[in-house]
């Protein structure tokens, strides 16, 4: 590939995100925000239930006396009441590797959560109004009976599931010509809808329904007989208010391998070194709690580290076990620090001479364009990019790693990793803020991890 022509073509489309930060070679970003937004913010302390993976519109998390707007990468704590506006949607990744899609107008709270690979693992979500899409994680394996969605008229248990509980308000029921109450649509697996002693099994492709609790009339009598409101029923068809959310395509893809992914991460948790027991978490308080000072962030004035021939990383734990996600986080952490320090030589040294690198970006009209470059071209682009990079900050939303070929790689010499990163700063004086999915294959060579393949895609 001719460097001058490829650099010009690359500069015409690249925006500056994740790995793009070292690829954009000083070109101003396309589609950048008008002003860079803060990446980090102080959060209340407490027992974490999930992390915000995707968000669109406004989602607020509140405890008595305090409220915060959720952003991608933010933790969500047990006891926080989440409210989505009429245009707000989100995807939460639970700490047992499950997913919770939050629909517009939804209000709920995670009342109980424990994911410690014990028989006492549990998840209880109280859904007040609106709808969730819930893809169960490993709690569905370790303690299936402890995984419940509680609504005003029913409790929904799971059988290893992708389902959509919906609490339909009186107003929306009237607007859509449906009955007020709790609905549950099962996409995969099965659920159990229960009211008192009455239970209903709901299989994939079916929708269960329980009426809203009876209301008192002016004379003090309930509007319906007790048996009427206690009987869950299966519906003949899917109600018209069930519509796909903004992130359902992504959730559909995740659901295809959800069981395997959650079990793989549970196995990684079992193999990881045991941590020293921590102090009992403190629940979110109405009084703001000062966040601990963040680690020092390298700046433009930070001395550059000496050039490195390659980056070292442990292949196994002290027990000799291969932990791909830990290796992935270590490798990415070294690259992130090198970018923050504007240390081009260290970045380049992390890639093998024959490495293949691809960037796929979205132009002004939304069209996706891919560009392939070599390690030599990466080196030139990195040096150019570092000259114009200022006020650089980044946050990795999530990272996972696995053996590239577990069947033949018994020695843990090759890891494939994926990571979503949000990155912001100023490139050539212009602010940018982007999100990308980064995918690498790294190989252990003479005790040093080198990337032999890298791909970054604008989200």
């Amino acid at each position: 590939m001719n460097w001058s022509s490829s650099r010009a073509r690359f500069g015409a489309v690249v925006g500056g995100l994740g790995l793009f930060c070292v690829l954009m070679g000083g070109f101003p970003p396309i589609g950048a925000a008008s002003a860079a937004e803060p990446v980090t913010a102080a959060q209340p302390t407490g027992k974490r239930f999930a992390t915000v993976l995707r968000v669109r519109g406004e989602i607020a998390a509140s405890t008595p006396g305090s409220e915060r707007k959720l952003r991608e990468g933010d933790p969500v704590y047990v006891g926080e009441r989440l409210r989505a506006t009429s245009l707000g949607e989100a995807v939460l990744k639970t700490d047992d590797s499950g997913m919770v899609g939050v629909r517009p107008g939804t209000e709920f709270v995670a009342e109980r959560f424990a994911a410690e690979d014990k028989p006492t693992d549990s998840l209880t979500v109280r859904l007040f109004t609106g709808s969730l899409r819930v893809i169960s994680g490993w709690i569905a394996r370790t303690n299936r009976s402890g995984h419940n969605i509680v609504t005003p008229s029913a409790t929904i248990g799971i059988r290893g599931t992708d389902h959509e509980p919906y609490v339909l308000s009186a107003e929306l029921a009237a607007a859509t010509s449906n009955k007020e109450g709790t609905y549950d649509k099962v996409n995969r697996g099965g659920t159990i809808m229960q009211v008192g002693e009455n239970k209903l099994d709901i299989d994939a492709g079916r929708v269960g329904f329980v009426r809203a609790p009876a209301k008192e009339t002016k004379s003090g009598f309930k509007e319906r007989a007790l048996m009427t409101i206690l009987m869950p029923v299966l519906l003949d068809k899917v109600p018209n208010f069930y519509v796909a959310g903004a992130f359902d395509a992504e959730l559909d893809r995740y659901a295809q391998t959800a069981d395997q992914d959650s079990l793989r991460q549970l196995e990684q948790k079992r193999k990881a070194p045991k941590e020293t027991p921590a102090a009992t978490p403190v629940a979110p308080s109405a009084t703001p709690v000062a966040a601990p000072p963040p680690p020092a962030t390298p700046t433009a004035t930070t001395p550059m580290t000496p050039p490195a021939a390659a980056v070292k990383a442990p292949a196994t734990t002290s027990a000799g076990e291969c932990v791909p996600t830990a290796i992935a986080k270590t490798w990415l952490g070294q690259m992130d620090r090198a970018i923050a320090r504007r240390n081009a030589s260290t970045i380049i040294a992390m890639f093998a001479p024959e490495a293949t690198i691809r960037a796929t970006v979205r132009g002004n009209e939304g069209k996706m364009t891919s560009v392939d470059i070599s390690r030599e071209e990466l080196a030139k682009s990195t040096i150019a990019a570092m000259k114009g990079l200022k006020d650089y900050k980044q946050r990795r939303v999530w990272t996972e790693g696995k053996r590239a070929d577990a069947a033949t790689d018994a020695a843990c010499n090759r890891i494939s990793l994926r990571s979503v990163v949000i990155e912001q700063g100023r490139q050539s004086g212009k602010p940018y803020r982007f999100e990308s999915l980064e995918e690498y294959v790294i190989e252990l060579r003479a005790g040093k991890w080198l990337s032999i393949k890298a791909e970054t895609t604008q989200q």
Side-chain angles (χ1 to χ4, degrees):
M1 179 187 294
N2 179 271
W3 164 242
S4 59
S5 63
S6 65
R7 185 172 184 269
R9 183 162 61 94
F10 188 68
V13 296
V14 169
L17 45 112
L19 181 60
F20 292 170
C21 181
V22 299
L23 294 180
M24 59 189 172
F27 290 97
I30 293 174
S34 58
E37 301 176 13
V39 170
T40 59
Q43 304 291 352
T45 61
K47 183 177 180 60
R48 191 178 67 183
F49 146 64
T51 302
V52 181
L53 188 62
R54 297 281 185 269
V55 67
R56 175 176 295 183
E58 186 174 317
I59 308 286
S62 64
T63 53
S66 67
E67 182 174 287
R68 61 193 176 101
K69 294 180 181 179
L70 294 180
R71 297 185 178 184
E72 292 171 351
D74 283 353
V76 179
Y77 299 101
V78 172
E80 286 191 302
R81 191 164 179 140
L82 270 65
R83 298 181 180 89
T85 65
S86 59
L87 298 177
E89 293 188 61
V91 175
L92 312 180
K93 185 170 185 179
T94 62
D95 281 10
D96 71 327
S97 298
M99 293 285 184
V100 177
V102 183
R103 308 299 201 195
T106 295
E107 188 170 339
F108 75 100
V109 60
E111 294 186 330
R112 183 175 62 179
F113 182 77
E116 301 170 353
D117 187 23
K118 296 180 180 179
T120 54
D121 284 357
S122 62
L123 170 60
T124 299
V125 170
R126 186 170 296 274
L127 178 59
F128 301 104
T129 189
S131 179
L132 302 171
R133 179 172 176 181
V134 181
I135 302 176
S136 58
W138 77 59
I139 291 175
R141 301 277 182 162
T142 56
N143 184 21
R144 181 175 296 176
S145 63
H147 195 299
N148 297 293
I149 309 294
V150 180
T151 77
S153 57
T155 296
I156 302 169
I158 57 97
R159 293 183 278 145
T161 306
D162 172 2
H163 69 122
E164 299 177 53
Y166 202 129
V167 175
L168 193 68
S169 66
E171 295 76 16
L172 189 55
T176 60
S177 300
N178 288 284
K179 297 175 182 178
E180 179 187 1
T182 296
Y183 297 76
D184 191 43
K185 179 168 75 76
V186 178
N187 302 317
R188 177 181 58 84
T191 62
I192 302 171
M193 182 174 275
Q194 182 170 353
V195 181
E197 298 299 319
N198 295 309
K199 297 181 180 180
L200 175 70
D201 288 337
I202 309 171
D203 295 323
R206 304 301 303 270
V207 181
F209 168 69
V210 174
R211 290 177 180 269
K215 301 183 177 79
E216 296 286 342
T217 64
K218 292 182 180 180
S219 61
F221 291 97
K222 292 192 173 183
E223 295 175 342
R224 292 187 292 272
L226 184 62
M227 288 303 297
T228 302
I229 66 169
L230 292 184
M231 295 298 292
V233 296
L234 285 174
L235 303 182
D236 294 332
K237 60 180 181 180
V238 177
N240 56 0
F241 52 78
Y242 270 107
V243 295
F247 303 109
D248 269 37
E250 185 173 355
L251 289 171
D252 288 342
R253 292 192 295 271
Y254 181 83
Q256 294 175 7
T257 59
D259 290 342
Q260 301 94 306
D261 290 344
S262 64
L263 288 177
R264 185 177 66 250
Q265 293 190 38
L266 175 58
E267 189 62 27
Q268 291 174 356
K269 178 180 177 67
R270 289 170 174 171
K271 290 181 177 180
K274 299 297 182 182
E275 297 180 358
T276 303
T280 303
V282 180
S285 168
T287 304
V289 179
T297 302
T299 65
T301 59
T302 303
M304 294 175 61
T305 57
V311 177
K312 296 182 180 180
T316 60
T317 66
S318 58
E321 299 165 337
C322 181
V323 187
T325 297
I327 297 169
K329 289 181 178 180
T330 299
W331 191 86
L332 287 172
Q334 291 167 327
M335 185 173 71
D336 292 341
R337 287 190 294 274
I339 295 173
R341 293 169 178 162
R342 302 192 302 175
N343 193 332
S345 58
T346 295
I347 297 168
I348 296 164
M350 297 180 70
F351 292 81
E354 75 280 11
T356 59
I357 301 137
R358 166 172 289 191
T360 301
V361 296
R362 183 180 290 108
N364 288 331
E365 297 180 355
K367 183 179 179 181
M368 302 300 288
T369 303
S370 296
V371 176
D372 295 310
I373 67 172
S374 66
R375 182 178 182 270
E376 179 184 2
E377 292 163 344
L378 171 68
K380 294 178 181 179
S381 184
T382 299
I383 293 170
M386 294 299 99
K387 291 179 180 179
L389 180 64
K390 294 186 178 182
D391 301 330
Y392 174 77
K393 295 180 182 178
Q394 64 93 243
R395 179 180 71 221
R396 291 200 176 271
V397 179
W398 60 267
T399 298
E400 65 177 6
K402 62 181 180 180
R403 294 189 188 187
D405 190 349
T408 59
D409 185 23
C412 192
N413 290 322
R414 184 176 288 190
I415 299 294
S416 61
L417 66 94
R418 302 169 74 240
S419 182
V420 170
V421 62
I422 299 173
E423 195 156 2
Q424 69 178 48
R426 288 181 175 272
Q427 180 62 39
S428 300
K430 296 187 177 182
Y432 70 90
R433 186 177 188 274
F434 290 105
E435 175 184 344
S436 64
L437 170 64
E438 297 181 355
E439 299 176 273
Y440 301 86
V441 176
I442 59 176
E443 188 173 85
L444 189 62
R445 297 183 179 180
K448 299 169 184 176
W449 287 101
L450 298 178
S451 174
I452 59 175
K453 182 179 181 181
E455 184 168 355
T456 180
T457 305
Q458 182 175 354
Q459 300 297 287

